[in-house]
Amino acid sequence: MRSTFLVFCILFLASCQQKYDIILSGGIILDGSGQDSISSDVGIIGNTIIKIGDLSTATASKIIDVKGMTVTPGFIDVHSHAGRGLVHPDRSDGKILLTQGITTVMINPDGGGGTDLIKQDSALMHDGLGVNVVQMVPHGSIRRKVMGMDDRLATEEELEQMRALVKQGMEQGAFGLSSGPFYTPGSFSDTRELVELAKVAAPNGGVYTSHIRDESNYTIGLEAAVDEVITVAREAELTGIVTHIKALGPPVWGMSETIINNIEAARNDGVNVYADQYPYNASATGLGAALLPRWSQAGGRDAFLRRLGNSDTLSLIKAEMTQNLARRGGADRIQFRYFEPDTSVQGRTLAQVSS
């Protein structure tokens, strides 16, 4: 008994005399577990958190007063286009992300990105990485590789080729399958194609994340597009995610409650389906994706330019672009964030540029 007591005393004294490299003092701690926040201190030695608790009597090489601030683990950006930037030597350190608290990014969203994940991984690691990267297998890129920009359903042979590419990506370490049936060429697929490819991603916990087919009333409508993700999750038996969920534009404002209820109803039925959302009141995409009818993009750029050269077809394209602009709320609701040929338009609205 006496020896046990002595050991306890020695351990207690060692704990009291522990010197930390850094103490974060008095922060509001959210540990990522879903538990309520607590006000406490964090003691760090090297790269390891040693203790979370009252460290008011402890010593440290550096004590940082973080009262009124939130202390959290690094944030995971589950829908990131940073993959294209992280391959550049001057951006691979990820400082732009780290200064926002983002330590992990999931790349190749919306069905876009490289189909050879080993090659992509090599490019990402060439200059070192300052953040963690999670790769997805991109459906749109795979479809383009197998079928080009054809506006048609896949044959069984083509579907098998796409299955093989998804399997390859999953074996190369992908976290799951991403799709963007709002965009070409993903928009030329049907639900069955998405289900069949998601089945390949499902083993070993693969997920399916989708920029849904319609976030407004362009084609099948917002509710049906969300239901498509639910269908894929149910039939492929994997986790489905409606990525950056939104009701885009005046025609569907007010439908948020409907689609949320549909997701919750599916979850109550045992379907593993979720949604993620970005924390700002806007969306970002290419002007062509926002305004051009998908049929006009079939066959790729050369085919599109030929359609523009036909006056009757050009009139049809303009008419549908006018409708799509109205879906977005008009020209004063579209702002240029980046336009390489003419950077003077950056920050200006379409209404300002066209006036």
Side-chain angles (χ1 to χ4, degrees), residues 1 27 72 96 100 113 119 157 166 172 188 193 216 218 228 231 249 298 304 314 324 343:
M1 177 68 73
T72 73
I96 295 174
Q100 301 175 68
K119 182 178 179 180
E157 182 181 353
V166 174
Q172 291 174 342
F188 304 142
E193 178 176 314
S216 182
Y218 281 89
E228 182 175 54
T231 297
F304 173 68
L314 177 60
N324 291 340
T343 56

Side-chain angles (χ1 to χ4, degrees), residues 2-212:
R2 185 178 178 186
S3 62
T4 302
F5 177 73
L6 287 173
V7 170
F8 172 78
C9 289
I10 292 169
L11 291 173
F12 177 76
L13 289 171
S15 174
C16 292
Q17 295 168 1
Q18 176 76 70
K19 181 175 180 180
Y20 297 92
D21 293 332
I22 300 174
I23 290 178
L24 304 177
S25 176
I28 302 167
I29 298 174
L30 285 167
D31 64 8
S33 68
Q35 301 297 316
D36 292 339
S37 64
I38 60 172
S39 295
S40 193
D41 308 320
V42 178
I44 302 168
I45 296 179
N47 293 321
T48 305
I49 294 174
I50 302 299
K51 183 176 180 180
I52 297 176
D54 183 3
L55 299 176
S56 56
T57 61
T59 60
S61 301
K62 187 174 185 179
I63 298 177
I64 304 174
D65 184 353
V66 292
K67 291 183 180 68
M69 301 181 186
T70 301
V71 180
T72 73
F75 294 111
I76 301 172
D77 186 344
V78 296
H79 182 111
S80 176
H81 294 272
R84 291 173 292 187
L86 289 171
V87 298
H88 292 285
D90 58 341
R91 299 178 191 172
S92 64
D93 57 15
K95 285 184 179 179
I96 295 174
L97 300 167
L98 293 169
T99 53
Q100 301 175 68
I102 298 169
T103 56
T104 300
V105 292
M106 292 180 66
I107 64 170
N108 303 334
D110 302 333
T115 60
D116 185 338
L117 299 194
I118 295 297
K119 182 178 179 180
Q120 184 183 54
D121 181 67
S122 177
L124 287 165
M125 295 299 294
H126 185 269
D127 297 294
L129 273 176
V131 293
N132 303 304
V133 174
V134 178
Q135 294 166 291
M136 300 293 286
V137 181
H139 165 252
S141 298
I142 283 174
R143 192 177 216 272
R144 185 191 296 265
K145 185 171 185 176
V146 172
M147 300 177 59
M149 290 289 288
D150 289 358
D151 183 1
R152 59 178 177 82
L153 300 182
T155 65
E156 286 303 316
E157 182 181 353
E158 289 165 339
L159 188 57
E160 191 56 38
Q161 291 178 50
M162 287 190 278
R163 286 193 187 100
L165 287 170
V166 174
K167 185 174 186 291
Q168 171 187 286
M170 296 302 296
E171 291 174 346
Q172 291 174 342
F175 191 69
L177 175 71
S178 85
S179 77
F182 175 76
Y183 299 106
T184 57
S187 59
F188 304 142
S189 68
D190 62 356
T191 303
R192 175 177 176 267
E193 178 176 314
L194 299 175
V195 169
E196 290 302 311
L197 298 183
K199 286 179 179 178
V200 180
N204 303 314
V207 306
Y208 172 76
T209 177
S210 181
H211 180 130
I212 57 178

Side-chain angles (χ1 to χ4, degrees), residues 307-322:
R307 292 184 183 104
L308 294 184
N310 182 293
S311 59
D312 292 337
T313 307
L314 177 60
S315 295
L316 291 174
I317 293 173
K318 285 182 176 179
E320 290 199 33
M321 288 181 69
T322 300

